[in-house]
């Protein structure tokens, strides 16, 4: 079964440094999502792409976070500078289309970020 | 008040028990209701989804929705140690973003 690929699996960085996460969605999935999951909480949407366009980044801290999906396929999420409160699991998900469970989200295994 | 409330547990049961996991929500516009299972160090995987009030069964799993009470449940029959995971409820308005509960940690003891 096709999977969403994410790298790296784990990242430890010092505060004020820059970090980047990469995601390769399932082939053919036009919608791509980045979620942040703090330990003990459910995932929260950071940004949603439809092809190469951002359709929802209302919860993305834009002073330090950026996301791109230049060719409408893979995507990169960047944090600069990292803060202690950014320690979390960063999950990427993809779906054929947004907004319905007939097109469910498929999640990758995430990147566990620790900021020291 | 959060849009979706879910007891974080942990819930510990013996193997073979019937498990009941629940969520309440406040947004009456939610139309689709889903349950995801998340094993440790893994991403969530979709277990079941339902649209209308009532029950939906899939093997040992039954999803129940009561829109009038804004309450959803997931029942697991004959629970197995392999069911030990975090169970996340999630809800969506058509065309809008998915909203997750905090997740309930389930431990099934052999």
């Amino acid at each position: 079964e096709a999977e969403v690929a994410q790298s790296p699996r784990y990242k430890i960085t010092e505060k004020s440094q820059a970090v980047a996460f990469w995601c390769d969605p399932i082939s053919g999935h036009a919608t791509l999502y980045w979620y942040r999951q703090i330990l003990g909480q459910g995932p929260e949407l950071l940004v949603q792409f439809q092809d190469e366009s951002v359709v929802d980044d209302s919860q993305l801290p834009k002073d330090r976070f950026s996301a791109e999906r230049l060719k409408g396929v893979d995507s990169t999420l960047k944090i600069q500078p990292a803060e202690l409160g950014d320690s979390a699991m960063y999950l990427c998900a993809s779906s054929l289309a947004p907004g319905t469970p007939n097109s469910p989200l498929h999640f990758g295994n995430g990147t566990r970020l620790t900021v020291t | 008040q959060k849009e979706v409330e879910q007891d974080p547990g942990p819930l510990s049961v013996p193997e073979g028990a019937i498990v009941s996991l629940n969520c309440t929500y406040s947004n009456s516009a939610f139309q689709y209701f889903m349950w995801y299972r998340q094993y440790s160090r893994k991403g969530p995987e979709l277990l079941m989804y339902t649209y209308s009030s009532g029950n939906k069964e899939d093997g040992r799993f039954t999803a129940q929705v009561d829109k009038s009470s804004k309450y959803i449940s997931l029942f697991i029959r004959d629970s197995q140690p392999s069911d030990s995971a975090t169970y996340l409820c999630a809800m969506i308005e058509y065309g809008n973003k998915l909203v997750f509960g905090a997740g309930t940690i389930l431990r099934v003891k052999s």
Side-chain angles (χ1 to χ4, degrees), chain A residues 3-64:
Chain A
E3 295 182 345
V4 175
Q6 287 189 250
S7 66
R9 286 297 310 276
Y10 304 94
K11 179 71 178 178
I12 300 173
T13 191
E14 294 182 346
K15 64 180 180 179
S16 79
Q17 296 298 304
V19 292
F21 315 129
W22 177 80
C23 171
D24 190 12
I26 293 172
S27 178
H29 280 194
T31 312
L32 184 146
Y33 313 77
W34 284 101
Y35 282 84
R36 177 170 60 186
Q37 186 175 24
I38 294 169
L39 192 63
Q41 298 183 20
E44 292 185 308
L45 181 68
L46 291 174
V47 62
Q48 177 181 337
F49 290 91
Q50 184 64 29
D51 299 309
E52 66 275 9
S53 300
V54 173
V55 296
D56 186 349
D57 64 355
S58 57
Q59 299 304 308
L60 188 71
K62 298 181 189 62
D63 57 335
R64 298 185 300 108

